Amino acid sequence: MRIHDLDPEHRPRERFLQSGPAALSSAELMALILKTGTRHYNIVDTCQAMISRHGLERLAELSLGELQDIPGIGPAKAMQIKAVFELQKRVSFIRHTNKKVRSAKDVYEYMTGRVPDEHREHLFLLHLNTKNHIIRHDIISVGTLNASLIHPREIFKPAIRESAHAVILVHNHPSGDVEPSNADRQVTATLKKASAILQIELLDHVIVGCDSYFSFREHSLLA
């Protein structure tokens, strides 16, 4: 059944105008963006099947090629889908720029959309001013965190250059399990000692996953 064959009160566009975007399902919202279906499926059915198969979160991670493996999704629609999720990332990025850190949750929210490749481990350093606003961040390393490869000099060099009052370490666990490894603990202990010498406080080390985080400070592991 085509969209135009539906009763007006069931069409996404009419429902959007009458009740607003919150009244629409994820499939209907996606259908408004992609607009047209195929000869065999209307666009709402295509979007519903796509979201049921992958889920919204996984859909955001699919490559252009993987999206085009979905029936009814060609190159143009695949690019539209990627563009939607990229815009969402950028909105989140801008919203949390110059964010004031009050807790590890603030760090977790700040990091949303900032990990370039969530399938690889990245170590970030957040620079904070005297009011605990994040003034910038740097990627220190990419790959599995290894205590023997992380030298305090490389961590604190950009902090000294930025005249940071304090720093926060952040790294992602691609597995989603945010429990710290022995290497994570060793790196944190080493950098905590270095921060005391340099008088640049290491406020926290936060491990982030896709939907959770772990804070060394909140678990009293930064003594």
Side-chain angles (χ1 to χ4, degrees):
M1 181 181 288
R2 298 176 305 167
I3 293 291
H4 290 294
D5 294 330
L6 295 172
D7 293 333
E9 65 268 21
H10 294 144
R11 297 174 192 167
R13 184 173 180 179
E14 281 74 6
R15 292 186 61 226
F16 185 104
L17 291 172
Q18 182 176 356
S19 304
L24 275 65
S25 68
S26 297
E28 290 172 320
L29 290 171
M30 187 67 74
L32 284 176
I33 295 163
L34 301 184
K35 294 184 180 179
T36 58
T38 65
R39 187 171 65 177
H40 300 290
Y41 299 101
N42 69 47
I43 191 59
V44 175
D45 290 339
T46 297
C47 292
Q48 184 60 61
M50 177 172 60
I51 293 171
S52 296
R53 178 179 173 184
H54 296 285
L56 271 178
E57 185 175 333
R58 170 65 179 145
L59 197 62
E61 299 173 355
L62 296 182
S63 67
L64 283 173
E66 289 171 324
L67 286 168
Q68 289 175 70
D69 287 337
I70 299 170
I73 303 299
K77 284 184 171 57
M79 284 188 281
Q80 286 175 287
I81 293 168
K82 294 295 289 183
V84 167
F85 287 115
E86 179 61 27
L87 283 171
Q88 185 273 329
K89 277 187 178 181
R90 295 186 186 189
V91 168
S92 180
F93 185 99
I94 293 168
R95 184 176 292 149
H96 295 112
T97 297
N98 200 32
K99 186 177 184 69
K100 183 171 184 176
V101 175
R102 298 178 178 86
S103 67
K105 183 181 178 182
D106 293 328
V107 175
Y108 174 73
E109 291 176 348
Y110 176 84
M111 291 307 301
T112 301
R114 284 180 161 83
V115 181
D117 179 1
E118 294 182 351
H119 296 95
R120 301 178 70 189
E121 198 163 310
H122 296 70
L123 177 64
F124 293 82
L125 186 70
L126 310 186
H127 307 270
L128 286 78
N129 63 19
T130 55
K131 295 183 178 180
N132 278 8
H133 286 102
I134 299 171
I135 53 178
R136 66 168 289 160
H137 70 268
D138 290 300
I139 297 178
I140 302 300
S141 67
V142 179
T144 303
L145 202 61
N146 188 318
S148 64
L149 299 179
I150 301 296
H151 195 285
R153 178 178 61 248
E154 301 307 316
I155 296 291
F156 287 101
K157 185 191 296 182
I160 294 169
R161 185 177 62 244
E162 291 296 322
S163 299
H165 174 72
V167 295
I168 296 175
L169 283 176
V170 185
H171 82 280
N172 64 306
H173 278 182
S175 67
D177 180 2
V178 296
E179 192 67 24
S181 65
N182 287 335
D184 297 336
R185 295 171 185 270
Q186 291 171 14
V187 167
T188 306
T190 299
L191 296 178
K192 181 63 177 177
K193 292 176 183 177
S195 74
I197 295 170
L198 294 170
Q199 296 184 337
I200 299 176
E201 185 178 2
L202 177 61
L203 284 181
D204 204 348
H205 181 179
V206 180
I207 301 171
V208 297
C210 58
D211 57 5
S212 59
Y213 62 89
F214 179 96
S215 162
F216 274 72
R217 175 170 290 277
E218 291 179 1
H219 285 80
S220 303
L221 297 176
L222 270 179

